[in-house]
Amino acid sequence: MKVKVERSLSSPVILTFSKEDTLSAYISNGGFETLERFLKGGKRIEILSEILKSGLRGRGGAAFKTGIKWNAVANAKSDKKFVVCNADEGEPGTFKDRWILENRPFLIIEAMTLCAYATGASKGYIYIRGEYKNAIEVMKNAINQAYNEGFLGQKIMDSDFSFDLEIRRGAGSYVCGEETALLESIEGKRAQPRFKPPFPVEKGLWAYPTVVNNVETFANVISILKNGADWFRQFGTQDSPGTKLFPVSGRVKEPCLIEANLGVTLGRLVEEAGGLDGDFQCALVGGAAGNFIYKDELNYPLSYETLKEKGKVLGSGAILVLNKNDRREEVVKNILEFFINESCGKCTPCREGYPVLLEKFKGYLNGSISKDEVLRLSNLMFKTSLCALGQSSKFLLESYFGVVL
Amino acid sequence: MDEILKRYNDRSYLIEAIHDILDKKDEKGLGDEEIKKIAKHFKISVAEVLGVLTFYSMLPVKLKVKHTIRVCVSPACYIKGSRELVEFLKSYLGCDENNVSRDGRFLIEEVECLGLCDVAPAVMIDDRIVVNLDREKLKRVIEEVR
């Protein structure tokens, strides 16, 4: 995979240009220093407050503040707590977590261990999608090395803190990216999302308080604890601090993974990816759960809050560029079929809604149905579906039609 | 199979155990007797095991093919012609209505994003990833596997 650092970014927070898949390579880059510092006298509260102050938001798509989750679990009274890393990267167009897992596995192990230390958890799971065979292998080796050298398991680095970490493989289900579906899957069940509330921070794995964070979210943690929240806030925007990994694919000359400040423009990312292949039509940002961004928005900053102002979402940050020869309506149909296939079947609006929505969209294309009728249904599904899978077409279709309800 | 099941005690390992069992098998897919055995081991009903098997697309039930070809049809691969690749594969391998090849060795599955969008179109043949595909390259790889 080609990786690039956007040119205005002085140094990357997450990307590295040499592999760190051996423990010795990680340690020689300063790995496990942060864990050691906290295990030998650092305060748990310091970890919690630093992550909160950094304003780090979840990088899986929902952009919830990581510090709030960690504090909620830390404050929960329970004899058991869990830390879960969501590595079920399945959002179409997204391949950022795969890079992190394959290249910096120890960074995730250290971050999860510190999260467990700060929140009082003693067991962690990394849930990796089954298709990512190589990432699973790399992570498995990394966990074994960490156990052998005393960075996982009983009395880590001769402290009183113990933490066990285990990999669970997914088995081909997009909805497992939804945190409560993922928890069901770790429990060995069909991955049907749960009703929220209660949220996983209150009742997660086996109903114990659980932190669930995306891979890229964890990948920011060590840098924040090493350099401080203020350092982290020099990157990105006021409400979306930090950098972001943007997987760029489609009609660009060099599809690649780019690390850039949140708030970077789409135009700049396309430029970094070698420029356009053909004439720009639009980009699908955020995958199937995302939306279209057009030519007049090429210079608009991409951050959680700026897109929200427009009724749009950044989601996973995936960018699929379409040129004028690509048929946008075919991409919409493709995505609606995707949602039909991936709906878990638990709630009616999603299960029954998507097939009808696809028919209505086809009806719109042949002129028999108005766009308002299509939008009305997707809006209804947005309001009534149990999880984000059933809610996602709203952004896609509103951006397709160029309206915000 | 007994060896694998012995490693796993609680029910949460159901999917892990099935993965391991499938990885060791020449023909992908579980039969009735195996499913009963798994249910008994984890002290859950056969219906529950079947429920899990049918929920996840990577866990096949009663399938006697040797190789699974997973073709990504999500947007990044789609705009680079993955549907045409599926059609080509079906005719090249002479697939029946269940997408099993004439010689019974291959199953073709249309799957969702494999996270290989930067090198689209992409397929997975069993555990092997093949990217930047066109018909010629796909044909070559299939003959190697066959």
Side-chain angles (χ1 to χ4, degrees), chain A residues 1 92-95 98 129-133 166 168-173 185-191 206 249-251 255 320 322 330 334 337-338 341-342, chain B residues 8 10-16 19-20 23 50-52 54-59 73-76 78-80 83 112-118 124 126-127:
Chain A
M1 191 188 303
T94 313
F95 46 90
R98 180 163 65 85
R129 65 181 302 202
E131 293 88 342
Y132 278 7
K133 307 269 182 192
E166 206 179 291
R168 289 298 175 94
R169 285 169 284 178
S173 166
S185 190
I186 292 178
E187 293 181 15
K189 301 176 190 158
R190 289 163 73 89
W206 295 288
S249 65
R251 306 300 183 186
L320 175 69
L322 304 184
E330 291 298 321
N334 176 293
E337 283 165 7
F338 168 76
N341 288 334
E342 295 298 329
Chain B
Y8 298 117
D10 80 273
R11 181 257 149 87
S12 82
Y13 286 104
L14 176 61
I15 298 166
E16 283 293 311
H19 266 308
D20 283 355
D23 284 349
L50 278 172
V52 166
T54 50
F55 187 90
Y56 296 93
S57 66
M58 289 179 79
L59 309 180
V73 293
S74 278
Y78 173 77
I79 63 167
K80 302 219 169 162
R83 289 266 185 215
E112 308 305 351
C113 188
L114 292 170
L116 299 164
C117 325
D118 54 331
M124 272 179 91
D126 302 323
D127 287 356

Side-chain angles (χ1 to χ4, degrees), chain B residues 29-85:
Chain B
L30 297 174
D32 287 343
E33 286 312 308
E34 289 167 309
I35 292 170
K36 272 187 206 155
K37 205 169 192 177
I38 292 168
K40 200 170 165 210
H41 176 82
F42 287 109
K43 300 189 178 69
I44 53 179
S45 68
V46 167
E48 219 166 321
V49 179
L50 278 172
V52 166
L53 280 172
T54 50
F55 187 90
Y56 296 93
S57 66
M58 289 179 79
L59 309 180
V61 190
K62 287 188 213 167
L63 198 64
K64 292 241 180 270
V65 295
K66 206 161 163 70
H67 303 291
T68 307
I69 306 177
R70 297 189 169 94
V71 186
C72 174
V73 293
S74 278
C77 287
Y78 173 77
I79 63 167
K80 302 219 169 162
S82 62
R83 289 266 185 215
E84 288 77 23
L85 283 181

Side-chain angles (χ1 to χ4, degrees), chain A residues 16 18-23 25-26 29 103-107:
Chain A
T16 52
S18 59
K19 268 201 180 201
E20 255 183 15
D21 57 354
T22 63
L23 184 58
Y26 185 61
N29 291 340
N103 292 276
R104 305 198 71 187
F106 293 99
L107 187 67

Side-chain angles (χ1 to χ4, degrees), chain A residues 90-94 174 247 283-292 313-320 331 335 338-339 392 395-396 399, chain B residues 75-76 113:
Chain A
E91 193 56 62
T94 313
Y174 169 75
L284 179 68
V285 173
N291 31 219
F292 291 110
V313 291
L314 181 59
S316 70
I319 290 171
L320 175 69
V331 172
I335 292 173
F338 168 76
F339 285 139
S392 293
F395 301 102
L396 179 77
S399 68
Chain B
C113 188

Side-chain angles (χ1 to χ4, degrees), chain A residues 19 25 35 40 49 65 97 143 154 157 192 222 297:
Chain A
K19 268 201 180 201
L35 181 62
K40 296 190 173 155
S49 68
K65 285 204 174 122
D97 296 339
I143 289 177
Q154 295 299 307
M157 299 172 100
Q192 294 187 312
I222 302 301
E297 295 165 319

